[in-house]
Amino acid sequence: MTTTTAAPAPGIARVETTTVETSGRDNKAGWLFSTPFLLLYALFLIGPVVLGLIISFFNTATVKSDLGRFVAFENYADVLGSLDFWKSMWHSTLFTLLTVPFLVVLPLLAAVFASRISRNQWLYRIAFFAPYVVPSASVCLIFAFMYAPEVGLFAKAFGAVGLPAPDFLGSTNGAWFAVTMLTVWWTFGFNFVLYTAALQEIPEETYEAAAIDGATPWQQLRSITVPLLRPTISLVLMLQILASLKVFDQIFILLQGGPNLSTRPVIQYIYDTGFTTYRGGYAAAATMVYFVILVAVSAVWMIATRRRGADA
């Protein structure tokens, strides 16, 4: 740190300015503290990506120890020309379209509802967030019992009022409804926490002033809450799109991609080709293609966010 003193102009008081220069010792300390994270990041994130990229150019079989024959871009051509890959890609996209609206809007409404309650807010927050900490396998087993034909909870509920129960697990439409409802119930709590944290940053005096001016709760929500939460809503939307595009475990455990692979997402397609048909090189190429798609989606969101911030 150095201190410099500016020469005073006639009639102007002496001004002292302090300039803080970053020393080389501070940089070394920063790198030292960052080294453990950077090592883990390179070992478990960058390393697998580079290894997958290398394998994607070989005719690698997952049951052999060597990389196999170099095939250049042949695996990528097969992936881009595969009808099964694009069907699975559509299934992941359809799941995203079905779940994102519910998982962006419903947690927002629940967070606003919980924040306006004067007593026992903690109880509502725990109730909304609790399902998120349940393991996916347990959630799928619970819902599999509820969806079971004839003996399941829904079958008995429909039977009690004399109606036939929908075929949740044996039909395509029923399967999409089943996995959508499971996902909304299970992952609802994460976005609820994000909205709750953002709501706490809005001063209570803002709502009190609006109430004094005669604003109704709906007007407060529309004119105060939603505009001030717009950055959080944008973040939740992007995180939810990426999370839904990466769906795998609930569809794999509950439906195994069925019936007749009509719900198989792209990650299960990659898993099947890599560990069922042992086409490791092809599966790595499919992974790289899917990785590029996810990066492109993220890049579009970042560009849109920066432009909106520049216009604001």
Side-chain angles (χ1 to χ4, degrees), residues 231-309:
T232 304
I233 295 173
S234 175
L235 175 65
V236 168
L237 176 64
M238 193 62 239
L239 292 178
Q240 191 56 57
I241 289 175
L242 292 177
S244 295
L245 284 174
K246 295 188 296 182
V247 62
F248 172 70
D249 43 1
Q250 61 263 48
I251 292 180
F252 183 75
I253 296 173
L254 186 67
L255 304 168
Q256 292 81 47
N260 298 322
L261 302 180
S262 60
T263 61
R264 183 172 67 168
V266 66
I267 292 183
Q268 185 182 344
Y269 172 79
I270 294 171
Y271 172 82
D272 289 342
T273 54
F275 296 99
T276 302
T277 60
Y278 307 117
R279 301 175 63 190
Y282 179 89
T287 303
M288 290 298 115
V289 172
Y290 192 50
F291 175 73
V292 170
I293 292 174
L294 293 180
V295 171
V297 172
S298 303
V300 169
W301 175 78
M302 291 182 64
I303 293 173
T305 302
R306 289 186 177 182
R307 287 185 176 179
R308 188 166 55 247

Side-chain angles (χ1 to χ4, degrees), residues 67-263:
L67 286 176
R69 179 173 55 88
F70 179 73
V71 295
F73 291 96
E74 184 177 323
N75 286 327
Y76 287 94
D78 291 343
V79 170
L80 296 177
S82 171
L83 183 60
D84 289 337
F85 174 79
W86 291 113
K87 281 184 177 179
S88 301
M89 192 67 223
W90 164 243
H91 295 157
S92 296
T93 305
L94 178 60
F95 177 81
T96 302
L97 296 174
L98 291 174
T99 56
V100 166
F102 291 108
L103 288 171
V104 172
V105 176
L106 293 182
L108 173 61
L109 297 178
V112 172
F113 168 74
S115 67
R116 308 310 294 175
I117 295 177
S118 58
R119 300 178 60 185
N120 297 327
Q121 282 190 3
W122 61 272
L123 179 62
Y124 292 93
R125 290 174 179 174
I126 291 177
F128 285 131
F129 182 70
Y132 186 72
V133 302
V134 181
S136 59
S138 300
V139 173
C140 292
L141 289 176
I142 293 171
F143 275 78
F145 167 74
M146 295 169 61
Y147 293 141
E150 298 183 2
V151 298
L153 180 63
F154 286 108
K156 291 185 178 298
F158 276 90
V161 294
L163 296 175
D167 189 359
F168 289 108
L169 305 179
S171 66
T172 301
N173 292 335
W176 280 122
F177 177 84
V179 76
T180 298
M181 191 163 67
L182 179 155
T183 303
V184 171
W185 179 85
W186 176 36
T187 61
F188 177 93
F190 181 76
N191 295 340
F192 171 80
V193 169
L194 294 180
Y195 284 131
T196 299
L199 282 170
Q200 292 177 345
E201 298 298 323
I202 301 177
E204 189 63 29
E205 292 79 7
T206 306
Y207 292 104
E208 293 175 356
I212 292 174
D213 291 339
T216 64
W218 166 249
Q219 291 173 327
Q220 294 177 22
L221 174 65
R222 188 185 60 184
S223 303
I224 298 176
T225 305
V226 172
L228 293 179
L229 287 184
R230 189 165 294 146
T232 304
I233 295 173
S234 175
L235 175 65
V236 168
L237 176 64
M238 193 62 239
L239 292 178
Q240 191 56 57
I241 289 175
L242 292 177
S244 295
L245 284 174
K246 295 188 296 182
V247 62
F248 172 70
D249 43 1
Q250 61 263 48
I251 292 180
F252 183 75
I253 296 173
L254 186 67
L255 304 168
Q256 292 81 47
N260 298 322
L261 302 180
S262 60
T263 61

Side-chain angles (χ1 to χ4, degrees), residues 6-23:
I12 301 178
R14 181 183 295 272
V15 178
E16 292 186 355
T17 59
T18 303
T19 303
V20 178
E21 297 180 355
T22 303
S23 67

